[in-house]
Amino acid sequence: MRLISLLTCGLPLAVCLLPCAQSATSQGDTLEIAFEDGTEASGLRAFTLVSGSADKHYIFEAMGGGVCLIDYDQDGLLDVYLVNGGTVESFRNGSDSGLRNALFRNQGDRTFRDVTQETGVAGNGSWGFGCSVADYDNDGWPDLYTANYGPNILYRNLGNGRFEDATTTAGVDDPRWSTGSAWADFNGDGSLDLFVANYIELDRTNLPEPGSTEFGTMAGGRGCLHEGVPVMCGPSGLPGAGDTLFRNNSDGTFTDVSQEAGVSDTEEYYGLGAMWCDFDDDGRPDLYVANDTNPNYLYRNRGDGSFEETGFLSGVAVSAQGEEQSGMGVACGDYENKGEVAVYVTNFADDTNTLYRNEGGMNFLDNTFRAGLGPATIPYVGWGTFFFDVDNDGWLDLFVVNGHVYPQIDTSAGSQRYRQRSQLFHNLGNGRFQEVAKDGLGVPPAVSRGAVWGDLDNDGALDIIITNLDEPPTLLWNRVRPKLNFLTLTLVGTASNRDAVGARVRLRTGSQWQLREVHSGDSYLGSHDPRLHFGLGKAAQVDEIQIRWPSGATSVLRDVRANQFITLREPAPEPAEIPVAPVHEEIEQ
């Protein structure tokens, strides 16, 4: 293992090369952002994400693959599920690639054991892209959905250490090139529904030879160039694919309601990132879809089983300049602690990623440059992204992984390169971010795609897992100092869906409020830690917690001790008391 230490000093926050003057942060201490590269010792290096040839002649070779955090055996430790790709030959003839997804069980000692075969979640040899986690049958065991080019798979958790393929029974296969998948109870019936974004349509049996002008060409029949270098073409010029919304029938089956709900994507845009979030705070989940080289979608939930597409009206379809971007990863979070959830979308190089500030009433403002997030992302191709509180100071920070799609870019005279570093933006608490860890957290540049956060060692600090094309994943243990206080909540629905996906929690310490929402499926083709994590700074207790459950029920807790993992169960209609059951012992600071 290697300790990656990045000393920050001065106000505003800045990364300094040692030696440097150590000055106080707003918490009164010098902040040291440090991550430990635990990939080798963890056992995760046994997995390699294979995605076609090294030269990436076709677009499908450049897009995967996702990672999901799932406590499949409910032992209180997050396990890691990694999606694998395929080979061009197997893709062309529809055969088994021989490559398999992998599930690694958390051993509780910062190591992971491959349990793929014994759990039955290896995949079907299709080209895998993404995954998401949800307890779709409300039996208390998290299930797993994989998005592929080829049959998608719904794995039902049997609760005995094994999964069964429930795809056909449930009716949730989508034969198209599926990418982002996300779960929410959009109609409020207590069961989680499934949205699947799709990308492009390809005739797999008639793929042209590499370099052929038949496969996505520029005007005039010429092949495609980037910075003067010949590269594979797409997605522009290729046929897009619509999206799918599967309504949960609460009996183990689903019904495709895409058309009647108004989310089928009749324009057939190139869908990648998908995320449910209650953007207008009306108690109903709305849906955001990041589209590649097309306007992004924002579907406002009308509450009658249908949606209104408001991307342009809400200001989140294109950039402030009115330009369509290359939406890939997506995140939402209340980075200003003002009770409104913003949207962040990653895009292609020579453009910025985009931060849409929520102004209320489903109105958003492109706040990228005002927030200090503009120039830093222009040279990079962004993918997985998320808001998280890296240092537990009570303010959501922002993380992005990068990697180009063209290996040939390394031969160009320009500044772009195939392997790129990750980026961490620290929240300054004034509506602005500052990039720190400009060496990419100390790990070598990679062709990264998926990224998720989770407290993998249950120490109260959020760790990171990154997937990399044609390489093993990266595991980064959070070792930020000083170690500030936290509170982690697991919500259990009763009248609501059991995962409480869609629940909204507001937490107060002193005069500061924070907002979190339970999600399932986000970032880029993956799922984070399902628990809600709050950084508390130096506060020894939480003064108040307000919970709005998906059913509409509410709960209020007061004077909750810091540094706990607690489980909260949705109350009966007229609760006498809200049970609070500690899951882990208090962690000494």
Side-chain angles (χ1 to χ4, degrees):
M1 295 188 190
R2 176 176 43 173
L3 185 64
I4 304 152
S5 182
L6 302 146
L7 185 65
T8 63
C9 51
L11 289 175
L13 188 65
V15 172
C16 304
L17 297 176
L18 295 178
C20 70
Q22 299 183 12
S23 58
T25 70
S26 59
Q27 290 292 335
D29 297 297
T30 300
L31 172 64
E32 183 182 13
I33 295 178
F35 281 83
E36 185 180 296
D37 184 358
T39 311
E40 188 72 45
S42 71
L44 295 180
R45 189 168 288 278
F47 176 86
T48 296
L49 170 57
V50 178
S51 192
S53 67
D55 292 329
K56 311 301 180 203
H57 295 298
Y58 303 102
I59 190 170
F60 54 85
E61 299 179 81
M63 307 299 289
V67 53
C68 285
L69 299 182
I70 174 174
D71 183 4
Y72 83 95
D73 52 2
Q74 293 293 274
D75 64 352
L77 298 168
L78 289 172
D79 312 300
V80 180
Y81 187 74
L82 296 157
V83 179
N84 218 333
T87 66
V88 173
E89 187 56 35
S90 65
F91 182 83
R92 189 190 302 270
N93 58 34
S95 63
D96 189 330
S97 67
L99 300 171
R100 292 294 180 263
N101 304 335
L103 176 62
F104 288 88
R105 182 178 183 272
N106 192 331
Q107 302 286 86
D109 59 358
R110 299 184 194 164
T111 68
F112 295 80
R113 180 172 66 88
D114 188 337
V115 294
T116 312
Q117 294 304 318
E118 64 194 71
T119 54
V121 292
N124 55 12
S126 297
W127 200 302
F129 287 93
C131 58
S132 56
V133 176
D135 182 2
Y136 78 92
D137 53 0
N138 287 330
D139 67 351
W141 297 96
D143 309 301
L144 184 63
Y145 188 77
T146 65
N148 310 310
Y149 202 131
N152 296 344
I153 305 176
L154 175 62
Y155 287 112
R156 179 175 175 265
N157 192 332
L158 300 177
N160 60 0
R162 290 194 55 80
F163 293 76
E164 68 175 3
D165 185 340
T167 314
T168 302
T169 301
V172 290
D173 181 28
D174 194 321
R176 296 169 291 183
W177 177 350
S178 297
T179 50
S181 60
W183 299 79
D185 181 6
F186 81 90
N187 58 358
D189 65 354
S191 297
L192 288 174
D193 312 296
L194 171 64
F195 178 82
V196 181
N198 293 298
Y199 195 52
I200 64 175
E201 295 279 6
L202 291 177
D203 182 355
R204 304 203 299 183
T205 64
N206 192 33
L207 288 178
E209 292 303 310
S212 169
T213 58
E214 299 173 25
F215 190 72
T217 61
M218 296 173 63
R222 295 177 289 116
C224 294
L225 301 174
H226 185 76
E227 291 198 354
V229 177
V231 296
M232 58 88 170
C233 292
S236 297
L238 299 175
D243 302 327
T244 308
L245 176 61
F246 295 103
R247 185 188 64 212
N248 193 328
N249 299 322
S250 303
D251 61 359
T253 69
F254 293 75
T255 299
D256 183 343
V257 295
S258 313
Q259 296 286 342
E260 62 192 78
V263 297
S264 63
D265 180 19
T266 57
E267 298 294 333
E268 295 187 337
Y269 288 162
Y270 310 123
L272 286 175
M275 186 172 196
W276 295 91
C277 198
D278 185 1
F279 293 110
D280 54 0
D281 195 21
D282 65 354
R284 297 188 292 262
D286 310 299
L287 176 62
Y288 191 85
V289 184
N291 293 311
D292 190 1
T293 72
N294 299 130
N296 301 317
Y297 287 136
L298 175 56
Y299 295 106
R300 183 182 69 84
N301 191 332
R302 290 190 175 107
D304 60 0
S306 69
F307 295 79
E308 175 189 9
E309 204 290 295
T310 67
F312 278 102
L313 289 175
S314 295
V316 294
V318 294
S319 70
Q321 293 73 39
E323 296 177 350
E324 299 174 359
Q325 298 179 285
S326 300
M328 290 180 275
V330 59
C332 71
D334 180 14
Y335 72 94
E336 295 179 285
N337 286 340
K338 68 186 184 74
E340 302 284 358
V341 178
V343 185
Y344 188 75
V345 184
T346 56
N347 296 305
F348 203 76
D350 294 325
D351 194 359
T352 69
N353 299 339
T354 306
L355 176 68
Y356 297 105
R357 183 178 189 266
N358 192 333
E359 302 292 303
M362 292 293 276
N363 295 307
F364 293 79
L365 176 69
D366 183 340
N367 209 47
T368 308
F369 284 90
R370 291 184 183 90
L373 296 171
T377 62
I378 291 176
Y380 302 104
V381 180
W383 301 88
T385 185
F386 48 80
F387 289 102
F388 77 141
D389 191 348
V390 69
D391 55 351
N392 285 345
D393 67 350
W395 296 91
L396 288 174
D397 309 298
L398 186 59
F399 185 74
V400 182
V401 297
N402 303 301
H404 221 291
V405 296
Y406 308 129
Q408 299 81 7
I409 198 67
D410 286 342
T411 66
S412 76
S415 60
Q416 295 178 27
R417 288 297 175 260
Y418 186 50
R419 303 170 67 87
Q420 299 179 345
R421 65 178 177 86
S422 299
Q423 294 179 288
L424 174 61
F425 298 93
H426 191 269
N427 191 331
L428 301 179
N430 59 1
R432 293 182 58 83
F433 294 83
Q434 184 164 350
E435 186 178 6
V436 296
K438 292 187 178 181
D439 65 348
L441 301 181
V443 295
V447 189
S448 300
R449 293 296 184 259
V452 294
W453 62 263
D455 191 352
L456 293 161
D457 52 1
N458 286 332
D459 68 347
L462 299 182
D463 312 302
I464 298 172
I465 293 197
I466 304 168
T467 64
N468 308 301
L469 281 191
D470 303 312
E471 292 183 1
T474 302
L475 168 59
L476 296 174
W477 298 112
N478 187 328
R479 298 294 179 256
V480 173
R481 296 291 183 273
K483 192 169 184 180
L484 301 177
N485 297 331
F486 74 96
L487 186 70
T488 297
L489 305 179
T490 298
L491 302 188
V492 178
T494 53
S496 305
N497 67 86
R498 200 177 193 284
D499 286 345
V501 172
R504 180 167 278 214
V505 178
R506 300 184 72 230
L507 177 149
R508 181 175 63 85
T509 52
S511 61
Q512 183 184 54
W513 286 94
Q514 298 182 55
L515 173 67
R516 301 285 188 275
E517 196 173 293
V518 182
H519 299 136
S520 177
D522 43 25
S523 184
Y524 180 72
L525 313 184
S527 285
H528 304 298
D529 189 334
R531 301 170 295 186
L532 297 181
H533 177 92
F534 293 87
L536 305 179
K538 290 190 174 182
Q541 73 171 26
V542 174
D543 297 311
E544 186 174 351
I545 301 173
Q546 300 176 357
I547 305 173
R548 187 183 68 198
W549 299 86
S551 67
T554 59
S555 305
V556 178
L557 291 81
R558 293 184 175 88
D559 302 329
V560 179
R561 191 177 71 252
N563 301 324
Q564 295 188 85
F565 292 77
I566 63 176
T567 297
L568 305 175
R569 186 174 296 274
E570 183 178 10
E574 296 181 4
E577 182 178 357
I578 302 166
V580 179
V583 177
H584 301 288
E585 295 181 358
E586 180 177 354
I587 295 176
E588 295 294 334
Q589 296 295 291

